[in-house]
Structures are given as structure tokens and as C-alpha cells.
Amino acid sequence: MVSYKLLCCISANGMAGSLATLLHDGVMNPAEVVKQRMQMYNSPYKTVLECIRTVHRTEGMGAFYRSYSTQLTMNIPFQAIHFITYEFMQEQFNPRRQYNPSTHILSGAVAGAVAAAATTPLDVCKTLLNTQENVVLSSVNVSGHLSGMANAFRTVYQLGGVAGYFKGVQARVIYQMPSTAISWSVYEFFKYALTKRELEKGTPC
């Protein structure tokens, strides 16, 4: 049974993660748009600056934030699922919350995998909004620029049905598992090392 203390911890982490995500995505969303456009097959952009200038000139500043709401809709539940799964795994395998690298790596990997799989449909829609691939849009008779998460969801369904929402799910999970495992294990290591140093000094943490 999930303890009251664990629920409070999850709530606090979820709130902090949500606020951090709002600020992080506000800064990083334009960078994600540029990255994805340069990664497109036969991308017309040769440099980052050329991509920024061309997109700004032809589509306006709004193009860099067309997928912002989708990004938030994806990242907030991703972080919530991520933290909840990590805390749950730790409760199962390391209930005393001691420094234990193997449980931190395992919990981090599972948390990343679950969060990545659950939010893949949102990632697919975000990518479509960011890239605005003409071949894709013309194949479903979309003229102009695709905007809004609802439109992106409809377009993805038109293109590939339910399976279309999970395109690339294996690659996304494989990418996130080592990423979150490394992040949590490094975080737990430094928390342990710093706490141990403070205790040795006799300073209360």
C-alpha cells in the first residue's frame, strides 16, 4: 500500500517538475523546432542560422511555438509518470532508501521506459507540428500550416490509424531507458556523497 509520506513526496515532486517544465519548454521549444527541421529527410536548411531566419521570415515567430502546448501536454505527464514510477520502484526494491546503485539504475530505467511509452503519441504529434512536412500534409489534403494538438491528432490518425500514434515507440523507449537510468544514478550518487560529507563534518542536512 502506498504510504501517505510517499504520496506527499510524489505530489511535491510533481508540482516542482511541472513548474520547471513550463520554464524549460518555453526556452527550449524553438531549439527543438530547429533541430527537427534540420533532421528531416532532404532538409532544405544547411545551417542553424539559415533555418532560424527562413522559418522566421516565411512562417513568423509563432512557428517556433506552434507545438508549445503539445510539448507541455507531453512533458508534464512524462515527468509525472517518470517520478511516480521511480518512487514506486524504489518503494518496492529499496524501501529504506539507502544508496544502492543497482536499484537506482533499475528504477530509473523502468521509469524512463514507462514514461516514454505512455507519452509517445504526444511526441509523434509534436514532431508533426514542428516539422510541417509538406509531403505528409499534402497526402491528407492539409493546406497551409498545421496548428493545434487536436489537428495534429486527427492528421496522425488519418496517416496511420491508432498504430501511427506509436510510430518510433521502441526507439523512444530505448533512448530514454539509459538516459533516465544514468540521470537517477548520478543524482543519487551525488546526493549520497554530499550528505555523507556533511554528516562527517557534523553539519545537519
Side-chain angles (χ1 to χ4, degrees), residues 45-101:
Y45 311 109
K46 304 300 180 188
T47 67
V48 170
L49 283 177
E50 179 193 351
C51 181
I52 294 170
R53 287 175 185 146
T54 304
V55 171
H56 184 265
R57 186 178 68 252
T58 59
E59 300 178 43
M61 192 66 187
F64 295 106
Y65 287 94
R66 196 174 282 130
S67 66
Y68 182 53
S69 60
T70 305
Q71 182 89 347
L72 289 177
T73 307
M74 178 182 72
N75 284 348
I76 289 175
F78 178 92
Q79 293 299 344
I81 294 168
H82 181 190
F83 277 100
I84 289 168
T85 305
Y86 183 81
E87 291 293 335
F88 175 79
M89 292 294 291
Q90 284 291 283
E91 192 71 17
Q92 303 306 306
F93 297 107
N94 188 17
R96 296 180 66 183
R97 300 306 174 97
Q98 297 174 325
Y99 177 63
N100 187 326

Side-chain angles (χ1 to χ4, degrees), residues 113-130:
V114 172
T119 57
T120 294
L122 293 164
D123 190 48
V124 171
C125 294
K126 180 202 73 173
T127 300
L128 180 60
L129 287 170
N130 278 346

